[in-house]
Amino acid sequence: MHIKSKILLGLTSVSLFWGCSSSEKETAETEATKPNIVIIYMDDLGYGDLSSYGATELSTPNMDKLANGGIRFTNGYASSATCTPSRYALLTGVYPWRNADAKILPGTAPLLISTSQMTVPKMLNGQGYETGVVGKWHLGLGDGNVDWNQHISPSPNEVGFDYSYIMAATQDRVPTVYIENGNVVNLDPNDPIEVDYDKNFEGEPTGKDNPELTTMKWHHGHNNSIVNGIPRIGFMKGGEAAKWSDVDMADHFLEIAQSYVKSHKEGPFFLYYAFQQPHVPRTPNPRFVGKSGMGPRGDVILEADWMVGEFMKTLEDEGLLENTLIIFTSDNGPVLNDGYYDDAVEKLGNHTPAGALRGGKYSLFEAGTRVPFMVYWKGRIQPQVSDALVCQVDFLSSLAALTGSTDTSEDSENLLSAFMGEEKTGRSELMLEATGRTALRKGEWIMIPPYNGGAVQQSVNIEVGNDKNYQLYNLTNDIGQADNMAESNPEKLEEMIAAYTAIRGDMNSNIEDVVLK
Ligand code: NG6
Ligand code: CA
């Protein structure tokens, strides 16, 4: 697969440059296999949230341009049903369940990726790329004892990114500040930042004790420090001048991403652009308030769609569109009420954020991990729909194959032909993770081993996939996972258990769902 794709790309570039001298030809050929690469990564965007994936109540014209002008994958997966593990797998090519620390992290967690580990940006760095990350990080920082008033290290800059402009964890977690290349932006040394996830700082108001100071009400969790009227997870003191403006966050990250593109247009560059939407707290800029009729969750999806359009315009204006491979996907499936009263449930109407899939964020059912997944390269990739089984963990090996690197990792498969639309076959099997539990997808089947714990996560009202019996679903005939065939198809079940055990070792069954409160 690898060789074929490279030859194909090589031939195209040679034929384009047939009139050049041989040394020019060589340069052109090398450049042609090293396009700029952008990964646009959404936070909690569901399989059914885009009009190109079937939404009828929301219109996402800019995301749809990528879906309809590139490859729209119908079996594209995040590695996990939550954020940190998915991001870990995307960047390292390693399944998150291999790392016991790869779970939803607090803002004070140490850097989860080892500085000696191979990563997508590190691999691309080795191929001559400039690399940058803009947006949500949520993979830990420092060594576990960060002084936010000093240079923070290790950070993204120590795992392959030449440039980083990030929020440390999530929009609902402190510290609520931007960090550029390891330094808090706009930090006033006379107003130092302190962060603690266990205890409050004396005299500081909290969402729990001072509801009169909040403009957004917490539903579960999210009752610690209040920033911009929004109660968060974790306690923070100081850093007034450095605090972000929630309603301007989308514009802010967009501006940084656009200027990154403009200042790296000589290329090749890799930009990992990690949006904060539609994760909670949902804080659309006033320009988008009320636009979806669906409350803030719908409004921030429209805001994100607009950002995608503006970002694409920048690539076009800079003359980079034909030389930029764009991947668009999401870190996990959708959730409505994820801890704040924000009308996501009340104003949903007929919208189905997960489309026809069962479950949602946190779930081992399909909606947890099957996500919008598009690959777009103007003039190079033929518009098409692909049902190839692909996963974000495969970016490392596939982008290595594209750019001529031999770097790879334990779990990352080279699916370049599928990502280029040259083949419609992807992986044969894929291990999926949700809050520590795993399930195996193989061909058209998925097997979920028995797990203790409630079937429904009450706080978010999502079916998480637990059952005391084996579950086996045929996803071709039963995309909504209504018909458990474990009993009626014992041969298939046995085959799936054997395949699962071959990858996972023990069944790792009977664990409680420990992550959510
Ligand atoms: C959960 C939070 C949820 C969200 C999630 C992380 C509570 C009760 N719930 O613990 O609101 O922040 O973590 O989401 O605190 S993720 O997309 O980054 O994985
Ligand atoms: Ca997420």
Side-chain angles (χ1 to χ4, degrees):
M1 250 186 253
H2 169 180
I3 291 169
K4 190 178 137 212
S5 309
K6 281 199 69 189
I7 290 172
L8 257 178
L9 290 167
L11 280 179
T12 318
S13 48
V14 170
S15 60
L16 283 173
F17 292 90
W18 62 273
C20 309
S21 72
S22 69
S23 67
E24 277 169 323
K25 230 189 263 179
E26 243 165 58
T27 323
E29 187 175 333
T30 318
E31 279 171 6
T33 58
K34 291 183 178 174
N36 305 310
I37 299 170
V38 176
I39 297 179
I40 297 178
Y41 208 38
M42 304 301 300
D43 194 358
D44 299 0
L45 190 69
Y47 190 79
D49 274 326
L50 274 61
S51 18
S52 42
Y53 275 81
T56 52
E57 311 301 299
L58 268 180
S59 173
T60 52
N62 295 300
M63 296 174 187
D64 295 348
K65 268 190 210 160
L66 298 177
N68 299 328
I71 312 175
R72 181 171 71 83
F73 286 95
T74 56
N75 283 285
Y77 286 84
S79 301
S80 168
T82 61
C83 167
T84 300
S86 286
R87 283 159 209 258
Y88 176 80
L90 181 150
L91 288 177
T92 64
V94 177
Y95 278 142
W97 46 266
R98 293 195 194 279
N99 184 339
D101 295 326
K103 47 189 191 230
I104 299 172
L105 295 177
T108 45
L111 184 64
L112 182 64
I113 301 172
S114 153
T115 53
S116 61
Q117 217 168 331
M118 182 47 64
T119 64
V120 171
K122 214 183 253 186
M123 178 278 290
L124 291 172
N125 238 197
Q127 295 305 107
Y129 278 72
E130 288 282 320
T131 57
V133 49
V134 175
K136 175 174 174 175
W137 179 241
H138 209 188
L139 286 163
L141 291 168
D143 58 6
N145 198 15
V146 167
D147 179 346
W148 303 93
N149 308 292
Q150 304 291 326
H151 178 68
I152 300 160
S153 178
S155 78
N157 297 60
E158 279 70 43
V159 292
F161 288 105
D162 300 312
Y163 177 75
S164 64
Y165 195 102
I166 57 167
M167 64 161 120
T170 61
Q171 204 186 332
D172 54 353
R173 284 173 174 75
V174 297
T176 48
V177 296
Y178 297 121
I179 301 167
E180 185 176 32
N181 294 326
N183 303 312
V184 171
V185 177
N186 291 334
L187 178 70
D188 174 359
N190 297 317
D191 183 23
I193 296 175
E194 290 179 78
V195 178
D196 196 311
Y197 270 68
D198 295 325
K199 54 177 195 332
N200 192 17
F201 300 96
E202 216 181 311
E204 295 293 311
T206 64
K208 191 160 181 236
D209 297 333
N210 305 87
E212 74 284 359
L213 299 179
T214 63
T215 49
M216 197 184 278
K217 303 296 171 200
W218 59 277
H219 174 271
H220 57 279
H222 306 96
N223 58 18
N224 301 156
S225 289
I226 303 166
V227 181
N228 304 333
I230 303 170
R232 317 271 169 160
I233 307 173
F235 303 101
M236 173 177 174
K237 189 183 173 189
E240 273 315 312
K243 284 179 183 168
W244 66 48
S245 158
D246 292 276
V247 295
D248 295 317
M249 183 176 281
D251 287 344
H252 191 66
F253 281 144
L254 174 63
E255 218 178 288
I256 306 283
Q258 287 172 319
S259 63
Y260 184 85
V261 166
K262 287 180 195 160
S263 58
H264 292 83
K265 62 179 166 199
E266 300 313 322
F269 65 80
F270 166 61
L271 176 63
Y272 170 48
Y273 183 10
F275 285 35
Q276 84 280 13
Q277 303 109 321
H279 195 283
V280 297
R282 297 160 181 140
T283 54
N285 184 274
R287 303 196 304 282
F288 295 93
V289 172
K291 288 287 185 283
S292 69
M294 225 177 260
R297 184 174 188 278
D299 294 348
V300 297
I301 292 175
L302 299 189
E303 179 186 63
D305 184 72
W306 176 82
M307 289 165 68
V308 170
E310 292 302 295
F311 181 76
M312 293 297 291
K313 255 186 235 161
T314 302
L315 287 175
E316 190 162 23
D317 292 349
E318 298 299 327
L320 298 173
L321 217 43
E322 275 92 354
N323 191 30
T324 304
L325 173 74
I326 300 158
I327 298 171
F328 176 103
T329 186
S330 176
D331 68 339
N332 53 252
V335 55
L336 295 174
N337 183 336
D338 205 14
Y340 297 99
Y341 290 97
D342 67 358
D343 281 344
V345 175
E346 294 77 0
K347 293 194 173 165
L348 186 65
N350 294 324
H351 181 55
T352 51
L357 307 180
R358 186 172 177 184
K361 182 176 179 177
Y362 310 111
S363 183
L364 266 186
F365 287 133
E366 287 297 284
T369 48
R370 202 195 292 205
V371 286
F373 200 126
M374 294 98 81
V375 180
Y376 177 95
W377 185 353
K378 190 176 179 194
R380 184 60 69 86
I381 287 179
Q382 292 304 314
Q384 60 194 279
V385 178
S386 173
D387 61 2
L389 178 59
V390 297
C391 179
Q392 294 157 11
V393 76
D394 301 316
F395 292 157
L396 178 69
S397 294
S398 307
L399 295 176
L402 172 70
T403 58
S405 160
T406 53
D407 286 322
T408 183
S409 69
E410 211 169 346
D411 302 310
S412 188
E413 288 190 21
N414 173 7
L415 304 182
L416 184 60
S417 300
F419 288 136
M420 294 300 294
E422 292 157 6
E423 277 184 19
K424 293 256 163 84
T425 43
R427 291 177 153 263
S428 59
E429 56 189 24
L430 173 66
M431 191 66 82
L432 296 162
E433 187 266 357
T435 59
R437 302 155 298 146
T438 44
L440 183 73
R441 165 92 198 248
K442 187 170 163 58
E444 52 188 14
W445 297 87
I446 189 148
M447 187 278 290
I448 307 177
Y451 285 109
N452 283 336
V456 176
Q457 179 64 45
Q458 298 295 343
S459 55
V460 290
N461 192 24
I462 287 174
E463 287 186 298
V464 289
N466 294 335
D467 195 290
K468 60 181 187 335
N469 298 310
Y470 281 101
Q471 296 177 75
L472 178 70
Y473 300 99
N474 181 305
L475 295 171
T476 304
N477 306 331
D478 177 26
I479 197 174
Q481 297 178 289
D483 186 12
N484 180 3
M485 299 184 69
E487 274 185 31
S488 60
N489 197 340
E491 298 82 28
K492 183 52 79 177
L493 178 63
E494 206 164 301
E495 181 195 323
M496 293 295 285
I497 293 174
Y500 177 98
T501 314
I503 303 173
R504 194 75 176 84
D506 70 274
M507 295 303 290
N508 192 41
S509 197
N510 297 324
I511 63 162
E512 300 287 342
D513 189 352
V514 285
V515 175
L516 294 170
K517 289 174 203 136

